[in-house]
Amino acid sequence: MIEVKNLTKRYGDHLAVDNSSFTVQDGEIVGFLGPNGAGKTTTMNMLTGYLSSTEGEILIDGIDILEDPVHAKMKIGYLPEVPPLYPEMTVQEYLQFALALKKVPAKNRKEQVEKLLKQTRIKDMQNRLITNLSKGYKQRVGLAAALAGDPDVLILDEPTAGLDPKQITEFRDLIRSLSTNHTIIISSHIMQEIQAVCDKVIIINHGRIIAIDTPEALSQRIMRNNKLELRIKGPRAEIVNGLKEIEGITSVDITRIREEGSIDIQVETEDEVDVREQVFEMCSEKHFPILLMSISEMTLEDIFLQITGEREA
């Protein structure tokens, strides 16, 4: 659905986006992850045709956005970080206006407004002035406008910025529900947001794409040691010594001592070594109750710090 080839954007001597290439398949939710100033918004603006690239090519469903911008943009719905809303309009009036801009025939607009209100769950707000809406509802109105004309691609730039936790959860659920009929690109610097909704992650730093993969695959690629989180009840020294005697364990660290006579321990092992059975057998023989045992998985934040740290090192 989207193909980007050698995309570059320069502002004088500043290289904002540096030779980026990637593809997005139909129905994918792809997250652009990076710190502020990494080049995410610049890339989004070039994908929507708002900015022209210095070099490179962007194809939307096979259409070059620079050579045929009208037809390419008809396939795109864009929600910028601050939606361009008209506060003096009601929600219904604004959506009528958005549909007119997308050249939806007048006879179809009433039906389309109803559909957009239902999709974005703002039907109860349709007759209210936009100026009187909460931040969360304003974002939904912006999303409804982006959906006007039923575009194949949705491009969302920091869609939950400034929302409270409840609004963020609701907006993420809304984004996931839209993926059945739309290909979605989300730009964000919030790790949890990308991890919660995206099928694939593109990590960008200093204008360059440094990783493209699923969150799970990225974790597997950079995980050097397996980590096991344990909570075991018994004498501290005997537990630690027993764990250290197990072949494949490289380190044993007590992370917390609990009042009920148990300790929390993080165990690291050699690559691709699973010691859970040996830990269970050791504790069973010594009559140390295991209260918790789980594999420690890397979060997307861990992955991002690992990758960007490696790059800068």
Side-chain angles (χ1 to χ4, degrees):
M1 177 54 69
I2 301 172
E3 188 174 2
V4 175
K5 304 176 183 177
N6 309 117
L7 191 64
T8 298
K9 182 64 178 179
R10 294 187 182 91
Y11 295 101
D13 295 332
H14 176 64
L15 192 58
V17 178
D18 185 5
N19 197 38
S20 296
S21 298
F22 60 91
T23 59
V24 181
Q25 303 300 325
D26 285 354
E28 278 190 318
I29 306 180
V30 174
F32 255 84
L33 177 63
N36 291 325
K40 303 186 303 298
T41 295
T42 301
T43 301
M44 299 294 102
N45 285 336
M46 288 189 287
L47 288 175
T48 60
Y50 181 72
L51 285 178
S52 61
S53 59
T54 305
E55 298 172 18
E57 188 177 28
I58 298 171
L59 302 177
I60 308 295
D61 198 19
I63 303 170
D64 191 304
I65 199 164
L66 292 181
E67 292 183 2
D68 191 358
V70 173
H71 286 98
K73 290 177 183 180
M74 286 177 68
K75 293 180 173 292
I76 298 170
Y78 179 41
L79 177 64
E81 184 174 353
V82 180
L85 305 177
Y86 289 91
E88 69 277 8
M89 287 183 173
T90 66
V91 171
Q92 188 177 94
E93 289 170 343
Y94 181 72
L95 294 182
Q96 289 276 5
F97 172 69
L99 288 163
L101 289 179
K102 292 289 185 77
K103 298 185 178 180
V104 174
K107 63 181 181 180
N108 298 333
R109 289 176 199 164
K110 183 177 180 181
E111 179 184 348
Q112 287 294 309
V113 167
E114 289 297 315
K115 179 182 176 182
L116 294 171
L117 292 170
K118 183 177 179 181
Q119 271 185 304
T120 54
R121 305 166 195 170
I122 54 173
K123 188 170 177 60
D124 292 345
M125 302 291 125
Q126 62 181 318
N127 296 317
R128 294 186 62 177
L129 290 175
I130 290 173
T131 191
N132 295 327
L133 298 180
S134 68
K135 171 73 173 174
Y137 276 113
K138 286 178 180 176
Q139 286 293 94
R140 292 192 190 200
V141 174
L143 180 59
L147 286 164
D150 198 24
D152 297 318
V153 176
L154 283 177
I155 297 177
L156 313 177
D157 190 6
E158 304 281 358
T160 61
L163 302 187
D164 65 38
K166 183 175 183 293
Q167 291 170 334
I168 288 173
T169 300
E170 291 173 348
F171 208 85
R172 288 175 184 170
D173 290 341
L174 184 55
I175 291 169
R176 278 192 290 265
S177 72
L178 292 171
S179 67
T180 55
N181 298 310
H182 304 274
T183 299
I184 302 174
I185 296 181
I186 302 174
S187 166
S188 181
H189 66 280
I190 302 172
M191 313 289 176
Q192 298 91 332
E193 180 147 275
I194 298 299
Q195 194 158 22
V197 301
C198 294
D199 306 310
K200 185 165 71 178
V201 181
I202 299 175
I203 297 179
I204 186 169
N205 198 30
H206 303 302
R208 291 186 64 86
I209 291 176
I210 57 177
I212 303 176
D213 219 324
T214 64
E216 296 79 12
L218 283 171
S219 179
Q220 290 299 317
R221 278 171 51 189
I222 67 173
M223 182 77 82
R224 289 194 175 94
N225 297 314
N226 297 317
K227 293 182 180 179
L228 196 63
E229 304 291 340
L230 299 167
R231 182 173 300 157
I232 302 174
K233 191 170 184 177
R236 191 188 322 170
E238 292 184 39
I239 293 171
V240 171
N241 290 335
L243 291 171
K244 286 181 176 179
E245 291 173 1
I246 295 174
E247 186 176 355
I249 290 180
T250 57
S251 72
V252 179
D253 294 314
I254 297 174
T255 57
R256 184 174 177 182
I257 300 172
R258 295 183 171 270
E259 292 181 0
E260 67 270 23
S262 64
I263 54 174
D264 289 355
I265 300 172
Q266 185 180 81
V267 168
E268 290 192 10
T269 70
E270 296 171 357
D271 290 349
E272 300 181 4
V273 173
D274 188 345
V275 297
R276 286 176 292 179
E277 287 188 19
Q278 293 92 319
V279 169
F280 176 81
E281 290 170 0
M282 184 275 291
C283 290
S284 179
E285 288 175 4
K286 296 180 180 294
H287 304 290
F288 299 155
I290 298 175
L291 306 181
L292 179 148
M293 181 188 294
S294 65
I295 295 173
S296 178
E297 296 181 354
M298 296 187 79
T299 65
L300 198 54
E301 184 171 7
D302 296 329
I303 294 168
F304 177 77
L305 293 173
Q306 182 87 13
I307 290 176
T308 55
E310 286 180 351
R311 180 172 177 81
E312 293 169 356

